[in-house]
Amino acid sequence: LAKTTQPISMDSYEGQEVNITCSHNNIATNDYITWYQQFPSQGPRFIIQGYKTKVTNEVASLFIPADRKSSTLSLPRVSLSDTAVYYCLVPTTNQGGKLIFGQGTELSVKP
Amino acid sequence: GAGVSQSPSNKVTEKGKDVELRCDPISGHTALYWYRQRLGQGLEFLIYFQGNSAPDKSGLPSDRFSAERTGESVSTLTIQRTQQEDSAVYLCASSGRQGAGELFFGEGSRLTVL
C-alpha cells in the first residue's frame, strides 16, 4: 500500500498560488519526500525532493514541517500548462527500495 | 542515451497473443522499475530491479507477467496470453539511487488488447 494520502482533485485559476498537501504519517527517519508531475500521455516528471524544512527550485517549493508527517507542494502563479496530476512519493525503505505511488492529485487550472 | 527509452510506443494486439515491451534505462542507473497505468488511474507498481539482486516481483498481477533485466541495462516486460484488462500504458523508470524516490520515467508503451 502507498504510504501517502493526497486530495484527489483541486481547481485553481491562472495566476494563483496552489498548495497541494500530502500526508505521510508513517514516514521513516531516512525517507525523502519526492513530488512528480504527470501530463496526459506522458510519463511522470520529477519536480522536487526534500527531507525537512523548505526546498525551492525554479518550478516549485516544498514545505516540510518538523514532524515530517506531511508536506506541501507550492506552485507559484500557476498557468494553464500546470494542469496535470501531481504525485507525492515516499519510499518504502523497509521494503528494499520498492516505490509505491499514491493516487495523486489532479490539478485543473482555469483561465 | 539522455533519458529512459521505451519501445514500442504503441502496441495493438489480439487477445491471447504474447507481447514484449522494452525499456532502456539511463546509463549507469542501477535501479529499474515497471509500472502499469490504466486509463484515468494512478501508477500501479509491477516489478523492481536493483543491480544484480533478485528482483522484487510482488506487484506482478498474474503469472502471465514476467520481466527480465540483463545486468544494469535493458529490461523486457513480457505479457503472455494477453487479456483485454491488460490494456494500459506500461511505464518504465530508472534511478541512480536505490529507493531514494528520484525516478526518471520513459514515455511509456501503450498496449491495446482487442
Side-chain angles (χ1 to χ4, degrees):
Chain A
L1 292 178
K3 295 173 63 174
T4 61
T5 303
Q6 305 173 232
I8 293 175
S9 63
M10 293 181 70
D11 291 332
S12 182
Y13 291 93
E14 283 191 291
Q16 290 187 332
E17 178 184 81
V18 171
N19 296 308
I20 305 174
T21 297
C22 177
S23 297
H24 28 80
N25 292 319
N26 297 319
I27 190 169
T29 301
N30 296 326
D31 284 346
Y32 278 74
I33 301 151
T34 312
W35 285 80
Y36 290 83
Q37 176 190 55
Q38 186 179 26
F39 297 115
S41 302
Q42 294 186 22
R45 180 177 73 103
F46 171 91
I47 300 176
I48 197 166
Q49 185 180 71
Y51 182 79
K52 63 180 180 180
T53 62
K54 177 184 175 182
V55 179
T56 298
N57 62 21
E58 64 278 7
V59 177
S61 294
L62 180 59
F63 298 92
I64 305 168
D67 66 7
R68 303 198 331 117
K69 293 184 182 298
S70 67
S71 59
T72 299
L73 176 73
S74 181
L75 304 173
R77 298 178 300 282
V78 294
S79 64
L80 296 177
S81 62
D82 292 316
T83 294
V85 178
Y86 293 82
Y87 294 94
C88 161
L89 177 65
V90 174
T92 47
T93 52
N94 62 346
Q95 295 191 38
K98 182 165 68 177
L99 296 172
I100 306 295
F101 283 81
Q103 63 187 6
T105 298
E106 186 172 4
L107 173 64
S108 177
V109 180
K110 303 175 182 178
Chain B
V4 176
S5 177
Q6 292 188 245
S7 61
S9 55
N10 275 287
K11 175 72 175 179
V12 180
T13 191
E14 294 180 347
K15 177 182 174 181
K17 301 285 189 182
D18 297 352
V19 296
E20 279 192 357
L21 308 177
R22 176 188 168 108
C23 174
D24 232 311
I26 292 173
S27 178
H29 279 191
T30 58
L32 187 147
Y33 300 79
W34 282 98
Y35 293 90
R36 179 170 69 179
Q37 188 169 37
R38 291 192 166 114
L39 186 63
Q41 304 295 311
L43 290 91
E44 178 185 1
F45 169 81
L46 295 178
I47 189 168
Y48 159 57
F49 296 89
Q50 174 59 48
N52 293 316
S53 302
D56 182 336
K57 305 179 182 181
S58 60
L60 295 179
S62 77
D63 58 9
R64 296 187 295 105
F65 287 72
S66 62
E68 293 182 348
R69 186 183 187 195
T70 305
E72 296 182 355
S73 60
V74 172
S75 176
T76 302
L77 177 68
T78 301
I79 308 173
Q80 295 180 309
R81 305 181 302 283
T82 52
Q83 304 294 312
Q84 289 184 331
E85 62 262 28
D86 299 334
S87 295
V89 175
Y90 290 83
L91 290 158
C92 174
S94 70
S95 175
R97 296 193 293 157
Q98 178 185 356
E102 192 170 356
L103 298 175
F104 296 83
F105 281 84
E107 292 302 305
S109 292
R110 180 177 299 276
L111 174 65
T112 302
V113 182
L114 301 177

